[in-house]
Structures are given as structure tokens and as C-alpha cells.
Amino acid sequence: MIKMVAGLLIILGLLYMGSALLRRWQFGGSNSRQGIISIKESRPLGAKRMLCLVEVRGREVLLGVTPDRIEPLCHLEVTEENHETSSFDAELKHRHSQ
């Protein structure tokens, strides 16, 4: 009985370690390459609605996301100046004031 329980614990431990390694490789561990699409920030707007700031190949796109659709709201160029100093809130205020 003890051998059976010990064997089961070893197998469960191996399965857990294997799944952890798979998640790390699949979802971008520290050694994986950077993809061309990254979600910079997202903000909920209410029931199942949100804004997402996404960067794709040096351009930022503000997306409106609902359960039925995903729609681009505006396209932004990423520059070193606004990439490091501008926050999502500041960019929304700037776009809203235009």
C-alpha cells in the first residue's frame, strides 16, 4: 500500500512539473522570444466592455472590446518620447481633448 501511494505521489509530482514547464514555454517564460503583439494596458468600462491598448510592430492601437466585437478606435505611433513618459490615462485624456 505504501509503495502504491509513493508511486502515485511521484507521478503526480512529475505531471505538475511537466505542466509548469509547458506553461512557461507556451506563455513566454524568461527565455522565450518576444512576440510582435503585446497588450500594454486594458481598462474595464462596465459589464463585459473594455478598452485595450495593444502594440503591434511599433504602432499602438486602442481597441474597444465587447462580447460581440473588437473594434479599433484609434491608431497611435510609438515614439521613444511618448512610449516612456506617457501613460494610458494621459493618452486617453489627450485624445479626448482633440
Side-chain angles (χ1 to χ4, degrees), residues 6 13 16 18-20 23 28 36 38-40 44 46 55-57 60 66 70 73 79 83 87-88 91 95 97:
Y16 178 76
S19 69
R23 270 184 269 133
I36 59 171
S38 64
I39 298 174
K40 296 297 184 180
E55 184 177 345
V56 181
R57 294 188 178 161
E60 288 182 343
T66 66
I70 298 172
L73 301 176
T79 63
H83 186 64
S87 70
F88 188 56
E91 190 63 42
R95 291 291 170 176
S97 66

Side-chain angles (χ1 to χ4, degrees), residues 4 19 26 33 42 45 53 58 66 74 86 98:
M4 186 173 67
S19 69
Q26 183 178 5
R33 67 177 183 88
S42 61
L45 296 176
L53 183 63
T66 66
C74 67
S86 178
Q98 290 182 347

Side-chain angles (χ1 to χ4, degrees), residues 68-92:
D68 299 331
R69 63 190 328 173
I70 298 172
E71 192 165 326
L73 301 176
C74 67
H75 297 273
L76 309 166
E77 289 294 327
V78 178
T79 63
E80 287 301 317
E81 179 181 305
N82 73 358
H83 186 64
E84 294 177 3
T85 60
S86 178
S87 70
F88 188 56
D89 290 329
E91 190 63 42
L92 282 175

Side-chain angles (χ1 to χ4, degrees), residues 12-53:
L12 288 176
L14 288 173
L15 284 173
Y16 178 76
M17 288 188 322
S19 69
L21 285 173
L22 225 126
R23 270 184 269 133
R24 183 175 180 161
W25 286 332
Q26 183 178 5
F27 295 115
S30 59
N31 295 332
S32 71
R33 67 177 183 88
Q34 291 292 329
I36 59 171
I37 300 172
S38 64
I39 298 174
K40 296 297 184 180
E41 250 182 275
S42 61
R43 296 287 166 94
L45 296 176
K48 298 182 183 179
R49 295 178 183 188
M50 64 188 327
L51 288 175
C52 289
L53 183 63

